[in-house]
Amino acid sequence: ISATTAEEREFNELRRDLPRAIDIAAATEVLFKHAKRMVPAASIALYMPRTDTNELCAVASFGVGASAILGLQVPVGDRISGWAFAHSQVVLNSDATLELGPIARTFSTPLRYAGAFPIVDGKIVSVLMVFSQDPLEKEHRRVLENAATLFVSSLSHPLLVDLTSAQTGTSTLQRARVH
């Protein structure tokens, strides 16, 4: 199977599986399951802004170090996720310790690189973080941006919007895209 055909198959499966997710954590897990087949992602986390503070909170995390990442709070403008959120810019191959601290190197698979993918719906609504042991290539960026676009379209499902709002106090996410 050619790389293009395998990628097309993954995206078709992602399109099929995302609408079946019952909450934001399940949708993030589906995204991780498919993304790690196409890119060297060791873990993934979804950060959403809290309405009561000027911080992002990791509301879902899967893969290496997921329990250490879940619930992490980052002030907007700080670390990789906060910077990406504040500037609405993709960050690729930053040092994972800038986001996670020295613990990033202590996991069974050391997390050396981090990528941040802002998700925008008129304004920025969340940040998808991808951590890996190996650098992310230009092609990986394209794949992750496309996967994140499919992912965010699933967030407009009424059940996911309600659960997301209840978990983070965020507003409705619809028609969002990766910036």
Side-chain angles (χ1 to χ4, degrees):
I1 298 178
S2 72
T4 303
T5 304
E7 182 180 312
E8 288 172 3
R9 185 184 68 237
E10 276 312 316
F11 276 109
N12 286 336
E13 290 178 16
L14 186 59
R15 274 186 208 92
R16 181 196 69 217
D17 292 346
L18 279 171
R20 297 177 181 165
I22 61 168
D23 61 22
I24 195 136
T28 305
E29 185 175 26
V30 167
L31 178 62
F32 177 61
K33 177 181 118 180
H34 291 287
K36 71 180 183 177
R37 294 178 186 160
M38 298 181 281
V39 300
S43 63
I44 194 168
L46 181 68
Y47 289 69
M48 299 191 75
R50 297 178 49 101
T51 56
D52 57 337
T53 66
N54 193 31
E55 294 180 322
L56 301 175
C57 181
V59 297
S61 182
F62 293 91
V64 175
S67 62
I69 298 169
L70 187 63
L72 184 67
Q73 295 190 27
V74 176
V76 171
D78 287 359
R79 302 188 195 183
I80 303 164
S81 58
W83 187 92
F85 186 88
H87 297 280
S88 193
Q89 295 287 320
V90 171
V91 176
L92 203 62
N93 292 325
S94 190
D95 184 338
T97 60
L98 294 175
E99 181 73 16
L100 304 174
I103 195 169
R105 302 264 197 258
T106 66
F107 298 124
S108 57
T109 300
L111 302 178
R112 292 190 170 89
Y113 299 93
F117 299 85
I119 298 174
V120 176
D121 179 14
K123 64 177 186 156
I124 188 157
V125 294
S126 62
V127 174
L128 182 68
M129 290 293 300
V130 177
F131 300 96
S132 68
Q133 184 174 15
D134 301 314
L136 297 168
E137 304 295 331
K138 186 177 181 180
E139 184 67 12
H140 299 143
R141 176 182 176 158
R142 181 191 62 76
V143 167
L144 288 166
E145 287 177 333
N146 289 337
T149 299
L150 287 176
F151 170 76
V152 80
S153 69
S154 73
L155 296 180
S156 65
H157 183 280
L159 177 62
L160 292 179
V161 170
D162 291 345
L163 290 172
T164 301
S165 297
Q167 290 171 351
T168 66
T170 58
S171 60
T172 303
L173 302 173
Q174 295 179 357
R175 300 175 323 278
R177 62 180 174 78
V178 174
H179 181 69

